[in-house]
Amino acid sequence: MKHSLLLVCLFTGLIAKAEIPEKTIQATINAIQTKGGTDKTLIEAGVRQAAHLWQTQDGTDTEFQEFCVNNYITTAAEKEQVFQKVSHYFEALWGHFNEISLQLQLNLHQDNGPLHDIDPMFGAYSPGAHLINDFYNNKIGFIIALNFPEVPLQDKEKLGTDRTAWAYARLGDVFTERVPAELLQAGAKAESDADVYISSYNIYMGHVLNPKGQKLFPEDKILLTHWNLRDEIKANYNKGKEGLDKQRTVYEVMKRIISQEIPTQVINSGAYDWNPYTNTLAQNGQSATGTPEDTERYQRMLNNFHAMQAIDPYAGKNFIDRKFSGEMEVSVEDVKALFNQFLTSPELKEVGKIISKRLGRKLEAYDIWYDGFKPRSNLDETKLDVQIQKLYPDAGAFKAGLPSLLIHLGFTPERANEICDKIAVDAARGSGHAWGAAMKGQQSHLRTRIPSEGMNYKGYNIAVHEFGHNVEQTISMYNVDNFMMAGVPNTAFTEALAFVFQKRDLQLLGIENNDPEKDKMDILDKFWSLYEIMGVSMLDISVWEWMYAHPDATAEQLKEATITLSKEIWNKYYAPVFGKKDETVLAIYSHMISYPLYLSAYAFGQIIEFQLEDYLNGKNFAQEVDRIYRLGRLTPNEWMIQATGSPLSVEPLVHALQKAIKK
């Protein structure tokens, strides 16, 4: 029996659906109106949502009706009182669960020495997995669903600036589905296992050979896939033939990972010399036999799919819809239409020609990461490493330097310290991430990889990105008007501020770019970067759609499908610009393994970043960032309108590029 089917069979009996008859629903609505309820539309929404969630073990039809009539709140004053109490309770619960999870995953995320088998077991445990179901069992969930029912997306868009209505709507998002805790725990474990797999997937580049059997990289250079491999390609655009040789070699490594022909002996180990072109091994000058990784990468993807698919019957929608219409509050069809509009822009060919001319050669597949429009591409990264190592020898030094970064961006010393006091800095085991607070009184955590000799430029660049997340996380938690509105519409909006910060990484080092071509180069860079991430996002969506169409697929079949889909998307959107067909580079992204369907957030983040940057131009940066990120969890379009005055769109970026090309 397939894993997903087994999970469904095991847990279906735990919660039996009770279909509340329509006549009972109507009788309940009428009884509440008789009791004093005046808004029939709101009463009906609450009763129907409670009926949707009601299970056999919760009571009979008569008991359902009695419960609704007894617990429906008929006055605005009492409703506001209950809302404030519930908000306080949820902040306490979610905040402390967040702190527990932070501690349980501490050794997985921080560089605290070798991992033991016990570490991922604790890291996979989700302390809050039972909360929602507990609140159905004790009826709290039904009281909230009855009085604060879910507001459909199209109705949320009409709430405008009514903050109370928005806060009530966000409480209405809490009790919309009923998933067994065991399935939530299984989902958390699948993602945690995938994250451990990826965070330990290092390539010892000092033992990687070029076609001539030569070693190109320092003995101690270790790169995490895919992030550091990608960054190594970016770092070699200003290094002539030697840089080109390194880039091509890194891409050969990537292709072996995608095809799973990479020998297991070279994953997170420097025991062998490896030639990725011939896929051969040597040890102490003698040839050795390698064992291909085979399908491990794709099995992790399947494990995530099986865990999410098992939840689908209880959620009432599949994982794709939950991720987009639910979390992002933009339908997957609208996302694909927006991405397709951009990916077919005729201006892309013009940008491709500009890059080819600047490189003095035809484009190669890895040039999706072309970094030559950025001012850092003309700088010596080795010198940057030395400068940053002196500034930030360890996590404590970077923590101490955070307020000065905000002051450099225009924040007052008082405000800079107020924000930075709520941010902790840790040395990361993986590439780094930002972990936000979930209640007032907690710190958010900034994590980046810090080698023993001190932070290097790559780690600093990532750290500045994560710092942008932390600033958002702090403002949208501590300065929003109500806890239920804390946060941002979806992950794309926190990515946007992270990108805004990351762009200023050199400026924060006191390195200014006085190039008169700067604005033009910035537009070209944004356009090309969005081109890269949108294609990868389309592949991520396509792979999940394929898994839903082939739920019984094996890891081998998924591998072949992913490779085929990556070629199809490449041929549709990239071959016309690059002049090369059937490239698989889009399939290298680690996010597809450890962060299911997250990549689209980066694409939206870059669209939002451009609109934010365009809006912030000429304004007080610090004041506007402080204002905008207090808006909290509006829907994406409403947030963008209130933040910048314009809805979310790729058109401003396209128009800006057209002007840049003409110049």
Side-chain angles (χ1 to χ4, degrees), residues 201-205 208 217 221-236 246-258 262 274 297 366 369 431 449 458 588 590:
Y201 205 110
N202 293 285
I203 304 298
Y204 283 61
M205 297 303 295
V208 174
F217 302 91
K221 184 175 279 290
I222 301 172
L223 300 180
L224 181 71
T225 186
H226 81 287
W227 292 281
N228 293 157
L229 292 172
R230 172 204 62 192
D231 291 343
E232 185 66 25
I233 288 175
K234 290 184 175 183
N236 279 283
K246 287 182 177 180
Q247 289 175 322
R248 288 172 174 167
T249 300
V250 171
Y251 185 39
E252 288 300 316
V253 171
M254 289 181 168
K255 288 192 287 187
R256 295 294 183 184
I257 294 171
I258 293 165
I262 182 173
W274 175 42
R297 178 180 180 87
Y366 56 79
W369 295 304
S431 66
R449 181 170 279 200
K458 286 187 177 69
I588 190 57
S590 296

Side-chain angles (χ1 to χ4, degrees), residues 577-640:
V577 176
F578 282 72
K580 294 175 177 287
K581 288 188 175 182
D582 294 335
E583 296 287 350
T584 60
V585 63
L586 301 176
I588 190 57
Y589 277 67
S590 296
H591 304 74
M592 294 177 63
I593 314 302
S594 55
Y595 304 110
L597 290 180
Y598 185 82
L599 282 161
S600 296
Y602 288 110
F604 269 94
Q606 291 188 31
I607 296 170
I608 297 160
E609 177 208 359
F610 179 80
Q611 289 187 253
L612 275 181
E613 287 279 19
D614 189 52
Y615 172 78
L616 291 169
N617 186 32
K619 296 182 176 64
N620 185 302
F621 178 88
Q623 287 182 5
E624 286 300 314
V625 166
D626 229 342
R627 175 189 70 83
I628 288 170
Y629 280 88
R630 293 171 189 246
L631 291 173
R633 286 198 308 131
L634 305 173
T635 53
N637 246 4
E638 184 62 30
W639 189 97
M640 187 57 73

Side-chain angles (χ1 to χ4, degrees), residues 143-311:
I143 292 174
I144 293 173
L146 177 66
N147 292 285
F148 302 92
E150 182 180 17
V151 178
L153 180 58
Q154 63 270 26
D155 292 338
K156 284 191 179 96
E157 301 280 25
K158 302 173 184 176
L159 296 178
T161 58
D162 187 339
R163 299 293 293 183
T164 298
W166 274 108
Y168 284 8
R170 287 311 182 196
L171 180 55
D173 291 336
V174 178
F175 294 98
T176 60
E177 58 186 42
R178 198 167 182 183
V179 182
E182 292 83 354
L183 297 188
L184 295 175
Q185 189 70 52
K189 184 179 188 305
E191 285 201 36
S192 178
D193 288 348
D195 187 51
V196 171
Y197 166 75
I198 286 297
S199 64
S200 301
Y201 205 110
N202 293 285
I203 304 298
Y204 283 61
M205 297 303 295
H207 295 271
V208 174
L209 312 178
N210 71 357
K212 296 180 180 179
Q214 301 168 324
K215 294 183 177 180
L216 305 175
F217 302 91
E219 178 73 20
D220 60 351
K221 184 175 279 290
I222 301 172
L223 300 180
L224 181 71
T225 186
H226 81 287
W227 292 281
N228 293 157
L229 292 172
R230 172 204 62 192
D231 291 343
E232 185 66 25
I233 288 175
K234 290 184 175 183
N236 279 283
Y237 273 109
N238 60 344
K239 297 182 180 177
K241 291 183 179 180
E242 179 187 354
L244 184 60
D245 196 5
K246 287 182 177 180
Q247 289 175 322
R248 288 172 174 167
T249 300
V250 171
Y251 185 39
E252 288 300 316
V253 171
M254 289 181 168
K255 288 192 287 187
R256 295 294 183 184
I257 294 171
I258 293 165
S259 68
Q260 292 285 265
E261 296 168 312
I262 182 173
T264 58
Q265 289 84 352
V266 303
I267 301 170
N268 212 33
S269 172
Y272 294 84
D273 292 336
W274 175 42
N275 186 325
Y277 293 89
T278 60
N279 205 27
T280 53
L281 298 180
Q283 189 176 48
N284 300 322
Q286 301 295 318
S287 63
T289 302
T291 305
E293 193 181 13
D294 195 20
T295 59
E296 185 64 26
R297 178 180 180 87
Y298 299 95
Q299 186 60 55
R300 304 288 175 163
M301 293 172 67
L302 271 184
N303 292 347
N304 277 328
F305 168 70
H306 291 150
M308 294 302 104
Q309 186 192 29
I311 291 173

Side-chain angles (χ1 to χ4, degrees), residues 34 37 51 202 208 239 291 319 343 382 410 413 471 523 527 575 578 610 656:
T34 301
N202 293 285
V208 174
K239 297 182 180 177
T291 305
F319 179 65
L343 289 167
T382 303
V471 171
I523 296 297
F527 204 81
F578 282 72
F610 179 80

